[in-house]
Amino acid sequence: MIAQELKGSTVLLAASGGLDSCTITHWMAEQGIDVIGYTADLGQPDEADMQDVKTRILACGARDVVVADLKPQIAAAGLQLVQSLARYEGGYWNTTAMARHVLIADMVAEMRRRKLTILGHGATGRGNDQVRFQLAAQMLEPHAEVYAPWRDSAFLSSFGGRTEMIDYCSRHGLPVKATHDAPYSTDSNILGLTHEAGELEALSTPASRVDPEMGVFAVDAPDVPGQLEIRFENGFPVELDGESLSRYEMLSRCNEVGGRHAIGIGRHVVENRFVGIKSRGVYEAPGLELLGTCYEFLLQLILDRRARRIFDQVSPYIAEQIYQGYWFDTATQACWRLIEHFTGLATGTIRVSLYKGSVSFDSAADVPHSLYSADTASMEDVGEFDHRDSEGFLRVLGVSARALNRSGQSGLDLG
Amino acid sequence: MIAQELKGSTVLLAASGGLDSCTITHWMAEQGIDVIGYTADLGQPDEADMQDVKTRILACGARDVVVADLKPQIAAAGLQLVQSLARYEGGYWNTTAMARHVLIADMVAEMRRRKLTILGHGATGRGNDQVRFQLAAQMLEPHAEVYAPWRDSAFLSSFGGRTEMIDYCSRHGLPVKATHDAPYSTDSNILGLTHEAGELEALSTPASRVDPEMGVFAVDAPDVPGQLEIRFENGFPVELDGESLSRYEMLSRCNEVGGRHAIGIGRHVVENRFVGIKSRGVYEAPGLELLGTCYEFLLQLILDRRARRIFDQVSPYIAEQIYQGYWFDTATQACWRLIEHFTGLATGTIRVSLYKGSVSFDSAADVPHSLYSADTASMEDVGEFDHRDSEGFLRVLGVSARALNRSGQSGLDLG
Amino acid sequence: MIAQELKGSTVLLAASGGLDSCTITHWMAEQGIDVIGYTADLGQPDEADMQDVKTRILACGARDVVVADLKPQIAAAGLQLVQSLARYEGGYWNTTAMARHVLIADMVAEMRRRKLTILGHGATGRGNDQVRFQLAAQMLEPHAEVYAPWRDSAFLSSFGGRTEMIDYCSRHGLPVKATHDAPYSTDSNILGLTHEAGELEALSTPASRVDPEMGVFAVDAPDVPGQLEIRFENGFPVELDGESLSRYEMLSRCNEVGGRHAIGIGRHVVENRFVGIKSRGVYEAPGLELLGTCYEFLLQLILDRRARRIFDQVSPYIAEQIYQGYWFDTATQACWRLIEHFTGLATGTIRVSLYKGSVSFDSAADVPHSLYSADTASMEDVGEFDHRDSEGFLRVLGVSARALNRSGQSGLDLG
Amino acid sequence: MIAQELKGSTVLLAASGGLDSCTITHWMAEQGIDVIGYTADLGQPDEADMQDVKTRILACGARDVVVADLKPQIAAAGLQLVQSLARYEGGYWNTTAMARHVLIADMVAEMRRRKLTILGHGATGRGNDQVRFQLAAQMLEPHAEVYAPWRDSAFLSSFGGRTEMIDYCSRHGLPVKATHDAPYSTDSNILGLTHEAGELEALSTPASRVDPEMGVFAVDAPDVPGQLEIRFENGFPVELDGESLSRYEMLSRCNEVGGRHAIGIGRHVVENRFVGIKSRGVYEAPGLELLGTCYEFLLQLILDRRARRIFDQVSPYIAEQIYQGYWFDTATQACWRLIEHFTGLATGTIRVSLYKGSVSFDSAADVPHSLYSADTASMEDVGEFDHRDSEGFLRVLGVSARALNRSGQSGLDLG
C-alpha cells in the first residue's frame, strides 16, 4: 500500500507525537490523505500529557485526534503476562509486544465506529511491530488495510533518516519538541521499557550503557533489602502489603518498589525477530519481573510434575505468539483456556525480599491448593508414606532399568 | 532387599564417613555382612580429607575401603549441565543429581572389578537419591542388587533418628566426629550444594536461613562489581580472563569468583520429587550459574528461532531425566547427540559483570557462528534487507490473518 | 493391604461375574470380609445381562450387588477421546483405560453414598488397571483404600492360575458359567475391545489370531464400499446420514457400520505400560476409529498451523494421561479446557467411504469455521493473494537463510 | 528479481520438459537471458527419458542442459523420511518437499562448478516449492539469487494460464508433447506422487477422483493378502523377503508391491502451507508407507516410554522442517543427530501382511535391542517382577493422588 493509492482516503494513524509521527502526519496530509491521529495512554512513564500530544498532531495537519485511555486494558494484559509467565526466549517480558495488541484492538474498534478501513503506523520495515500491526488488525477486522510510510518508496526517498525529518519539521514549522539525539531508541508503557538500536547494536556496548527510567541499576539501589508481601487470588495480585489495589495501581506500585531495588532493570537479550534476524534489546520491566517471580514461587507450591510439564510447554508458546503478533489467534485463545485453569488455583500470599536486582523467597502462607506439606516432604518416617513402600516402588522401576541394559541400550561400556 | 538376606554377602557401600555411614557400616557388619566402603572425592568443599574417611570407615568394621578420585568426571559432567542448561523445573542445577550418576558409574565399575553384585547406600526411602541409585546401577549392570538400610525394617526399628545413631556410635566407640545438630541437611560437591530438610521444611523459614558455604549472600558481597571474560570453544569454557584452565580448575575458579559475588547462592525452589511429593531446597551453585549464564548469552547469538525452539524443548527434558535418575537411558543418550550439535557451534568470548548476585552482559567477541549482525538488525535501511520487501511479506501474512477472522475464529467481538 | 487386615470390613468389589470375580468374592467372604459387589453396564458387547451377573455374585457370597448403568457416561467419555484424538502411543484408543475412569468415578460415588472406604478389584499386579484404580480412586476420595487380591500373598498362594480357580469354584458350587479356555484375555465395553496375554504374548503370533467381536477382519468385509455422512456440532457427532442420534446410539451405530467394514479391527500395538514393561495388545474400536477419522478430516479444515501445533502437542499428552490413570488430575483438567476451545469450532458435515478397513474422504460441507478456500488455495492468481507479494516474502526469508550460511551453520559442504 | 534485471546473465533453470518449462525457457531466452536447463532423474515413474527432455529444452532455446542422476540421493533421503517417520501434519510423507532439497543441493553444486549465481524455477507464487527453492538455495550458497517467472509481472502479463502457454509454444514451434488437459496437477518422484489443484480444490471432489499411478485403489487391489518380510539393520531396510537390495531398489520394490496392494495410495490431506493458506492434496507413497509402517512396528519393540516421548516430539518437528524448506538448517541437523541414535538401535526383521490398503503385523524376529519380553509382559507371576512389589509401588503413587484431592485440585465434585 502506497500513499498515492490513498489520496482522498481517511487513515487512522497511530501517532505518539514524537518526531516521526509529526513528520508522517504532515507528509501524509500533504499527499492529500485525510489523517485522523490516534494516541493512547498506556501508562508510559516518559511521555508528555495526552492533550499536548493531541494539540501537536492537529497542528501537523491531522483533521482530528483520538485520545484513548487504555490504562485498564494494558494493566489487565500485563497480568496475563504474569499468569502465563510469558517471557519471549526466556528473557523478554513482551512489554511492547503486548501493548501493541492492546493498542490495535482499540484502534480497530475506533475504525469500526468511524467506518474507517485504513490503519496507519510509523513502525519500520524491519522490526516486529509492523508484523503485529498487520496480523492483529486483520485478525480483528479483515477489511482493514495497513499503511506504513516506512515501507513506501515515496516517503523513504524523502526521509533517509532523522536529520531529514528534523529539517522537514523545522521547514514546515511543526511543533516538534526539542529532542536530543538519543543514543538508542526506547518504547515505553506501564509494563516496561524496551531500548534498542543505535549504540546498543554494537555487542561491545554493555547493557549498562542504557539510562534506566523505571528504576535504577543494581549498583545504585539501596544497601538495605526491602520486603514485600503480595496476595494473589485466582491468579490476580490483589493486595500489596495488605493494601487492596486495582490492577493498574498494583502494576504501578510494583514498578515503583521493584525499580527502586533494580528488579528487572537492564536485562540484555539478543533475540530472534519474527522476520528472522537477530536484534538486541535492553529491557526494563520491574513490576512484571517482581510479580512474575512471586507468581512463580506460588506456582511451585501448587503444580505437580504433570501440571508443570504442560504449563512449561504452553508458557513459552504463548510468549512466542504474543511476540509475533498472534495474541488474537485460535492457538492463543485455546492456550489461554488452559492457563485459566491454573489461574483458578493460584491463590496465596508470598513474601519476598528485594535487594540489588534480586527477588528472594521469604515465606508463603494461605495457599489453599498447595501440594507442599512439610510433613510429607520430611525425610523422617511420618505420615502415610512408609519408607518400606519404596522398596516395592524401586523394584518395579528396576525392571525397566535392567531391560534397557539387557537389550544393549544402556551399560557401563555404553553410558 | 533386607539385611537378613545378605548375611555372608559382600556389599560395596557408599559411605561418606558421617554419622549415618558410620552407623550403617557397623550395623551391617554386625549383621554378618561383609562391608567394603566406597568413598569418592567429588570436590566437595566441606568434606574432610579422604584418607581420614577411609580410616574411620575401616574402624567401623568395613573390611576394605575404596577411595576414588572422581574430580575429572564430575567436572566433565558439570560442563554437560552447562551445555544443556539443564536446570530442573527451571531452577535447580541438578548438582546432587548429576553427582549421583558419576558416583554410581564408578561404583558399578568397581563392583565389576571386584565381582560384587550388591550396592549399598544410605539414602532414605522418601527422596530422589534412592531412585537414582536403583535406576543408574541397574541400567549399568542388571545383575546389581541394591541394599538400602533406610528401607529395611530391622534397621529402621533400631534407628528412629539421629539420637539413636549418636548413642549407638558412642556405645560402640565409633570414630564419629563431633557433629553439631544441623538445622538442615546438606549435600555437596564441586558442582554445588543442596540444603534441605530440618528447619527448611517450614515455608515460613526464609531461604536466608541457610549458611552459604560456596560464597556469600548478596548483602555480604563486595560493593564493587567484578568483571570476567570467558572463552568458550566448541561448548567448553577453556579460558578465564585469558588464562587456560582445565575443566576442574575452570569450575573451581568460577565457584570462587561467582561465590564471592553471590552468584547462584541461596536459590529457593519447591520442586516435585520423583516419588510425587514436593520438597523444598535451597541451593548453591555459583560456578554453574556463572558459566550457564555466559553460555546462555553465547547461545543467544548463535541459535536461530528454530534451533532455539528445539533446544528449549530438549533442555528441560534432559534436566528432568538427570533429576529422575535417567542420565544413562536411551532418551538421554539420544538427546545428548542433539545437544552436541549445538555444542559444536558454541565458540566465542563473553565478558560479564558480577555484582551482588547478578551476572550482566558486557560484551561478546570472536563468535564465528554468530547470527547477530549489527548491520542487519539495524532499523535503518542498509544491507540486503529492503524495507519495501516487507510490504509483500506482510501481505502474505495478512491472508491467513484475514482468513481467521472470516472463519469466525478471531475478531473484535471474540478476541 | 491384605485380606487379614480387612476382616469385618466392608469392601465394594468390582465384579464382572466371570471366573475371577466369582472366586474372589467367595474367597473374600470366606476371610470374613463383607463383600458388596459392583457391576456396571458399559455397553460391553460380549457380556451377559446384568441381572444374571447380580444373581451369580450374590450366590458367591456377596451381601449385596450394585448394578450401575453407565452407558451415558461411557458414551460421553468416548466422545472426549474423539475430540482429543487421544490414542496412546499413536495407536491405542484407550478404550479400557477410559472405561476404568468412568467405572471408578461411579464406584467412589457409591462408596460415598454407602459410607464405605475400601474399593476392591481383580486387576493383576503387573498391568495398568491396578494403577488406574489406585490413582483415580484416591484422587476422587483420599480416604479410599484399595484392596487387590492379586497382590495379596494369602490369595496368591491359593490361586496360582486358572485351574485352581476352576477347581475352587466347582468345589464350592459357585455358579461360574462354563468357560472355554481362552487363548488370550479380552476386556470390552462400548468403546472397544482389548485383547492381550496368552498366545498374543508371542511376537510370532499374528494379529489375525484374534477373533474379532465388534466386526470382521478386512478379508471378511464386504466387497462393496459403504458410505456415510456424519454431522458434527461443536465437536459432537449429532447426525448419522441425516438421522439425529444420542451419543450412545451414535457410538453403537458407528461400531456397527465401522465394524462391518473392518474399520479399527485388529490393530496391533506393542506399547509401554505404566510400570515400564512392554506389552502387546490387539485392539478393536470401530466406532472410535470411524468417528476419530472423520473428526480429523474436520479439524484439517479448521486448525491453522499454530492451532494444530498446540493440538498435536496436547493430544498425545492427554492420551498418556488417560492411559496412566490421570484423567482426573490437574494437568488433564487444564488440557481439557484447551481442547474445549477447539471443540467449539468443530462444526461440519463429513462424508466418507468405508472399505476393507479404510476410511477415505469423500466430501465436506457446512463447516462455518473452515479456513480452507478453494479460491485462496488455487495456484492461479485470483483473490487477494498476489503472486508478486511472494517476491518480497521470500526476500525477507532469504535474509535468515543466508545468515545461516555466512555463519557457517549451513552450506554445501555441511548440509 | 525480474527478467529485465537478468538480461545477459546466465541462469540455471530447473526444467522438467513439460509445457511450463518449455514456455519459460523460450521466454527467458527471448528476454536475452542465457538459460542453462537442469533436469534430474529422481526416479519419477511418469516421466519421459532424460535425453528426450534435454533435446526439447535445448530446442526451446537453452544454451546447455544438465542431466543429473539423483536416484541414489533421493533414495537415501527417502529412507531418512522413514527413519524419522516424518509425515507433515500426520499425513503427508513429504515426497515432493524432500525431493526439492535433493534437487536444489545438486543444482547449487552445479552452479558452483559453473560459477553461476542465479537459480531459476517454475514454481508458482502461492505454493510451498518457491519457499523451498529460496531457503535451501540460499542456505547452501548465500550468493545465490532466485528467479521465478511466476512472480515476474512481465511474464505473468503474457501468460495468464495454460491456454496462453499452449498458444505460445505452438506459435514458436516448441516441442511440447501433446498434453491432455489434466484435471489436477501432479508432482512425482521415486518417493511418491502429489496431486493437487484443479478439480481437487473443490471439497466436494472425493479423493478417488485421482487416477493412481504408483498402484491401485483398494477396490482394485487383489482379493488375496500379500506377505512381506523386511530386514532392517541400523535403521536401514537391507533385505526384502531375504533378498539384499540397494536403497533405491528397496524403495522401488516396496513401491511396486505396496502399490499393488493399495498401500499409501490416495491419502487425502488438507494441510497448512508455509504461506499460511490451506491446500488439499491427494498423495501416493506406497513404498514409504509400507517401509514406514514396518519401521514403526520395529520401534514399538525398542523405544521405551521416555525414548518414545522424545522421538514423538522430534519426528513431527523434522516433518515440518522438511515441508517448509528447512532441511539444511541448524535445527534439522541437530534433530538428525538425535534420530541417528535411534537409527542405531533399529535392527530387526518385521513380517507383515498387505491387503486392500492396510499393512498388518504378522511377526517380528531378531531384534537385538528389543525391550519386549513375553515373560516380563505376562500377567502371570513369573520372572523378576513380583506382583506384590506393586503394592508398595501403588502406595507411593497414592501419596500424590491423595495430595491432589486434599489440596482441592481433584475430587468427585470437581473431576
Side-chain angles (χ1 to χ4, degrees), chain B residues 215-330:
Chain B
V216 296
F217 279 126
V219 286
D220 302 317
D223 289 329
V224 177
Q227 283 181 326
L228 200 74
E229 190 180 275
I230 295 181
R231 171 77 187 158
F232 290 91
E233 282 181 9
N234 294 309
F236 289 93
V238 293
E239 289 178 17
L240 181 66
D241 289 333
E243 183 186 354
S244 288
L245 295 176
S246 76
R247 292 174 186 184
Y248 189 83
E249 291 166 332
M250 179 63 74
L251 265 169
S252 294
R253 291 278 292 279
C254 287
N255 276 335
E256 192 188 307
V257 62
R260 196 187 320 139
H261 288 284
I263 309 306
I265 300 292
R267 179 161 201 134
H268 150 97
V269 179
V270 175
E271 73 206 21
N272 291 296
R273 275 195 207 145
F274 186 93
V275 293
I277 57 182
K278 285 200 174 281
S279 71
R280 182 202 193 191
V282 178
Y283 297 111
E284 305 181 34
L288 290 182
E289 183 73 20
L290 171 52
L291 287 165
T293 306
C294 293
Y295 199 72
E296 164 70 12
F297 285 140
L298 180 57
L299 288 187
Q300 282 184 358
L301 297 170
I302 294 169
L303 302 188
D304 72 1
R305 184 165 64 229
R306 292 162 180 273
R308 180 150 198 124
R309 184 182 296 154
I310 193 71
F311 183 90
D312 286 351
Q313 272 180 36
V314 169
S315 165
Y317 190 68
I318 291 178
E320 187 180 283
Q321 292 277 104
I322 297 169
Y323 185 85
Q324 296 187 345
Y326 288 98
W327 176 244
F328 297 119
D329 83 351
T330 302

Side-chain angles (χ1 to χ4, degrees), chain D residues 231-252:
Chain D
R231 171 76 186 158
F232 289 91
E233 282 182 8
N234 295 309
F236 290 93
V238 293
E239 289 178 16
L240 180 67
D241 288 334
E243 183 186 355
S244 287
L245 294 175
S246 76
R247 292 173 188 185
Y248 189 83
E249 289 167 334
M250 178 63 74
L251 264 170
S252 293

Side-chain angles (χ1 to χ4, degrees), chain D residues 42-233:
Chain D
L42 293 158
Q44 45 274 59
D46 59 346
E47 289 290 327
D49 77 295
M50 293 293 123
Q51 287 313 312
D52 181 49
V53 171
K54 179 171 183 172
T55 307
R56 279 189 287 125
I57 302 289
L58 285 171
C60 290
R63 173 162 58 87
D64 193 4
V65 172
V66 179
V67 174
D69 176 8
L70 300 181
K71 293 201 294 292
Q73 290 91 322
I74 188 78
L79 295 185
Q80 291 187 285
L81 292 171
V82 170
Q83 290 168 345
S84 50
L85 296 174
R87 283 158 293 196
Y88 182 62
E89 293 190 348
Y92 164 47
W93 271 106
N94 272 309
T95 59
T96 292
M98 186 52 114
R100 290 294 176 225
H101 289 93
V102 169
L103 182 85
I104 294 162
D106 192 64
M107 285 183 79
V108 169
E110 184 69 29
M111 287 164 68
R112 185 177 286 187
R113 279 190 291 271
R114 291 176 180 249
K115 301 197 192 314
L116 304 179
T117 58
I118 309 166
L119 184 158
H121 67 76
T124 72
R126 191 162 287 205
N128 292 304
D129 279 334
Q130 59 170 351
V131 178
R132 296 162 189 155
F133 271 109
Q134 192 91 14
L135 289 171
Q138 295 187 338
M139 273 184 216
L140 296 180
E141 175 48 65
H143 301 298
E145 299 287 344
V146 178
Y147 174 64
W150 290 110
R151 299 195 307 255
D152 183 346
S153 306
F155 183 84
L156 283 166
S157 65
S158 303
F159 302 96
R162 195 173 162 70
T163 317
E164 287 91 336
M165 288 195 284
I166 292 174
D167 288 353
Y168 177 88
C169 288
S170 93
R171 205 159 64 238
H172 290 87
L174 305 187
V176 178
K177 294 167 84 171
T179 65
H180 58 291
D181 198 8
Y184 49 81
S185 76
T186 295
D187 177 80
S188 69
N189 61 65
I190 179 79
L191 305 180
L193 272 73
T194 60
H195 309 288
E196 54 180 12
E199 293 183 21
L200 296 178
E201 280 169 4
L203 287 183
S204 54
T205 308
S208 60
R209 173 68 186 83
V210 157
D211 247 333
E213 298 177 34
M214 296 182 81
V216 296
F217 279 125
V219 285
D220 302 316
D223 288 329
V224 177
Q227 281 180 327
L228 200 73
E229 189 179 277
I230 295 180
R231 171 76 186 158
F232 289 91
E233 282 182 8

Side-chain angles (χ1 to χ4, degrees), chain A residues 28-344:
Chain A
M28 283 173 66
E30 273 191 322
Q31 313 302 308
I33 303 171
D34 177 37
V35 176
I36 299 180
Y38 174 95
T39 196
D41 185 353
L42 293 157
Q44 45 274 59
D46 59 344
E47 291 290 327
D49 78 294
M50 294 292 123
Q51 287 314 313
D52 180 49
V53 171
K54 178 169 182 173
T55 308
R56 279 188 288 127
I57 302 289
L58 286 171
C60 291
R63 174 164 56 90
D64 194 3
V65 172
V66 180
V67 174
D69 177 7
L70 301 181
K71 292 201 295 292
Q73 290 92 323
I74 188 77
L79 294 184
Q80 291 187 285
L81 292 171
V82 170
Q83 291 168 344
S84 50
L85 296 174
R87 282 159 294 196
Y88 182 62
E89 294 191 346
Y92 165 46
W93 271 105
N94 272 308
T95 57
T96 293
M98 186 52 115
R100 290 297 176 220
H101 289 93
V102 169
L103 180 85
I104 294 161
D106 192 63
M107 285 184 78
V108 169
E110 184 67 28
M111 286 164 68
R112 186 177 287 186
R113 281 190 290 272
R114 291 176 180 248
K115 301 196 193 312
L116 303 180
T117 58
I118 308 167
L119 184 157
H121 66 77
T124 71
R126 190 162 288 202
N128 292 305
D129 280 334
Q130 59 169 351
V131 177
R132 296 161 189 156
F133 270 109
Q134 192 92 13
L135 290 171
Q138 297 187 337
M139 274 184 214
L140 296 180
E141 175 48 65
H143 301 298
E145 300 286 345
V146 177
Y147 173 64
W150 290 110
R151 298 196 306 255
D152 182 345
S153 306
F155 184 83
L156 283 167
S157 65
S158 302
F159 301 96
R162 195 172 162 70
T163 317
E164 287 91 336
M165 289 196 282
I166 292 175
D167 287 354
Y168 178 89
C169 289
S170 93
R171 207 158 62 236
H172 291 86
L174 304 187
V176 178
K177 294 169 83 172
T179 65
H180 57 295
D181 198 9
Y184 49 80
S185 75
T186 295
D187 178 80
S188 69
N189 61 66
I190 179 80
L191 305 180
L193 272 74
T194 60
H195 308 288
E196 55 180 11
E199 294 182 20
L200 295 178
E201 281 168 3
L203 287 182
S204 54
T205 308
S208 59
R209 175 66 186 85
V210 156
D211 248 333
E213 297 178 35
M214 297 183 80
V216 296
F217 279 125
V219 286
D220 301 317
D223 289 328
V224 178
Q227 282 181 326
L228 200 74
E229 190 179 274
I230 295 180
R231 171 75 186 160
F232 290 90
E233 283 181 9
N234 295 309
F236 289 93
V238 294
E239 289 177 18
L240 180 67
D241 289 333
E243 181 186 356
S244 288
L245 296 175
S246 76
R247 292 174 187 183
Y248 189 83
E249 289 167 332
M250 178 62 75
L251 265 169
S252 293
R253 291 280 292 279
C254 287
N255 276 335
E256 192 188 308
V257 62
R260 195 187 321 139
H261 288 285
I263 309 305
I265 300 291
R267 179 162 201 134
H268 150 97
V269 179
V270 175
E271 74 205 22
N272 291 297
R273 276 195 207 144
F274 186 91
V275 292
I277 56 182
K278 285 200 172 282
S279 71
R280 184 203 191 187
V282 177
Y283 298 111
E284 304 181 35
L288 291 181
E289 184 73 21
L290 171 52
L291 287 165
T293 306
C294 293
Y295 198 72
E296 165 69 13
F297 285 140
L298 181 57
L299 288 188
Q300 283 184 358
L301 297 169
I302 294 168
L303 302 188
D304 72 0
R305 186 166 62 229
R306 292 162 180 273
R308 179 150 199 125
R309 185 181 295 156
I310 194 71
F311 183 89
D312 286 351
Q313 273 180 35
V314 169
S315 165
Y317 191 67
I318 291 178
E320 187 182 280
Q321 292 277 104
I322 297 168
Y323 184 83
Q324 297 187 346
Y326 289 99
W327 177 243
F328 297 118
D329 84 350
T330 302
T332 309
Q333 291 173 55
C335 287
W336 197 257
R337 302 279 296 269
L338 181 146
I339 293 295
E340 282 178 330
H341 187 78
F342 296 124
T343 305

Side-chain angles (χ1 to χ4, degrees), chain C residues 92-401:
Chain C
Y92 165 46
W93 271 106
N94 272 309
T95 58
T96 292
M98 185 53 114
R100 291 295 176 223
H101 289 94
V102 169
L103 182 86
I104 295 161
D106 192 64
M107 286 185 77
V108 170
E110 184 67 29
M111 286 164 68
R112 186 177 288 186
R113 280 189 290 272
R114 290 176 181 249
K115 300 197 193 312
L116 304 180
T117 58
I118 309 166
L119 183 158
H121 67 77
T124 71
R126 189 161 292 203
N128 292 304
D129 279 335
Q130 59 170 350
V131 178
R132 296 162 188 154
F133 271 110
Q134 192 91 14
L135 289 172
Q138 296 186 338
M139 274 184 216
L140 296 180
E141 175 49 66
H143 301 297
E145 299 286 345
V146 177
Y147 174 63
W150 289 111
R151 299 195 306 254
D152 182 346
S153 306
F155 183 83
L156 283 167
S157 66
S158 303
F159 301 96
R162 195 171 163 72
T163 317
E164 287 91 337
M165 289 196 283
I166 292 174
D167 287 355
Y168 178 89
C169 289
S170 94
R171 206 159 64 235
H172 290 87
L174 304 187
V176 178
K177 295 168 82 171
T179 65
H180 59 293
D181 198 6
Y184 49 81
S185 75
T186 296
D187 178 80
S188 69
N189 61 66
I190 178 80
L191 305 180
L193 272 74
T194 60
H195 309 288
E196 55 180 12
E199 293 183 20
L200 294 178
E201 280 169 3
L203 286 183
S204 54
T205 308
S208 60
R209 174 68 186 82
V210 156
D211 248 333
E213 298 177 34
M214 296 183 82
V216 296
F217 279 126
V219 287
D220 301 318
D223 289 328
V224 177
Q227 282 180 328
L228 200 75
E229 190 179 274
I230 295 180
R231 171 78 187 157
F232 291 90
E233 282 181 8
N234 295 310
F236 289 93
V238 293
E239 290 178 16
L240 181 67
D241 290 333
E243 183 185 354
S244 288
L245 296 174
S246 77
R247 292 174 187 184
Y248 189 83
E249 289 167 333
M250 177 62 74
L251 264 170
S252 293
R253 290 279 293 279
C254 287
N255 276 335
E256 191 189 310
V257 62
R260 195 188 320 139
H261 288 284
I263 309 305
I265 300 292
R267 178 160 201 135
H268 151 97
V269 179
V270 176
E271 73 206 23
N272 291 297
R273 275 194 206 146
F274 186 91
V275 292
I277 57 182
K278 285 200 172 280
S279 71
R280 183 202 191 189
V282 177
Y283 297 111
E284 303 181 35
L288 290 181
E289 183 74 21
L290 171 53
L291 286 165
T293 306
C294 292
Y295 198 72
E296 164 70 12
F297 286 140
L298 180 58
L299 287 188
Q300 283 185 358
L301 297 170
I302 294 168
L303 302 188
D304 71 0
R305 185 166 63 228
R306 290 161 182 274
R308 177 147 200 127
R309 185 181 296 154
I310 194 71
F311 183 89
D312 285 352
Q313 273 179 36
V314 169
S315 164
Y317 191 68
I318 291 178
E320 188 182 282
Q321 292 277 104
I322 297 168
Y323 185 85
Q324 297 187 346
Y326 288 99
W327 177 244
F328 296 119
D329 83 352
T330 302
T332 309
Q333 291 173 56
C335 287
W336 198 257
R337 302 278 297 268
L338 182 146
I339 293 295
E340 282 178 329
H341 187 79
F342 296 124
T343 306
L345 300 171
T347 293
T349 303
I350 301 291
R351 173 168 279 274
V352 292
S353 289
L354 313 182
Y355 179 68
K356 296 273 189 184
S358 299
V359 181
S360 54
F361 179 87
D362 283 341
S363 66
D366 300 321
V367 186
H369 299 297
S370 172
L371 293 176
Y372 181 80
S373 148
D375 284 355
T376 308
S378 175
M379 292 294 182
E380 308 297 320
D381 195 349
V382 295
E384 63 193 322
F385 193 137
D386 185 334
H387 281 80
R388 283 155 291 191
D389 288 333
S390 298
E391 191 73 20
F393 182 74
L394 292 170
R395 281 178 58 84
V396 169
L397 291 182
V399 172
S400 50

